Amino acid sequence: DVYKSPASDTYIVFGEPKIEDLSQQAQMQAAEKFKAADLSAAAKAPKDKEAVAAVAEEENDEEVDETGVESKDIDLVVQQANVSRARAVAALKAQNNDIVNAIMDLTM
């Protein structure tokens, strides 16, 4: 709940304040449509060994060697790029622990 003080330009927020980004919501909806189209096309097309291995690797949430990478950096990359922890660690190591480049590498 957000309340505005009538006497001044002061707002009171009860709960967690969140910024509603309408353009991001539109992008997420468009991405969901493409995912649905990709899944239906993937179901019809024969799968090769590399694609199956990549999916299995992404679904495999076993322990990953995180030496040399900070846990908070990994969590940030996982959250921002919406990838598995293993892929985030691999991207951070490939980019020499540069968070911005790791996220860009995973999302572009």
Side-chain angles (χ1 to χ4, degrees):
D1 293 335
V2 179
Y3 297 98
K4 183 178 187 286
S5 174
S8 67
D9 195 25
T10 304
Y11 292 87
I12 300 171
V13 178
F14 293 101
E16 181 181 354
K18 293 182 181 179
I19 297 173
E20 189 172 335
D21 188 4
L22 298 177
S23 64
Q24 184 180 11
Q25 290 176 353
Q27 287 177 343
M28 293 302 288
Q29 289 174 350
E32 290 298 323
K33 289 179 185 177
F34 285 118
K35 284 182 184 178
D38 288 345
L39 290 177
S40 64
K44 294 177 184 176
K47 295 183 177 181
D48 59 15
K49 291 180 182 179
E50 292 179 10
V52 172
V55 170
E57 177 183 304
E58 193 167 322
E59 291 176 354
N60 190 3
D61 285 334
E62 291 182 9
E63 281 296 315
V64 180
D65 182 25
E66 299 176 2
T67 55
V69 183
E70 291 187 33
S71 179
K72 65 179 182 162
D73 294 347
I74 298 168
D75 293 336
L76 181 64
V77 173
V78 167
Q79 181 184 22
Q80 293 296 318
N82 198 22
V83 295
S84 68
R85 192 165 181 87
R87 287 194 60 200
V89 170
L92 281 166
K93 286 184 177 182
Q95 298 296 331
N96 296 324
N97 292 335
D98 187 351
I99 298 170
V100 174
N101 285 334
I103 293 171
M104 295 296 287
D105 187 36
L106 291 169
T107 57
M108 299 241 160

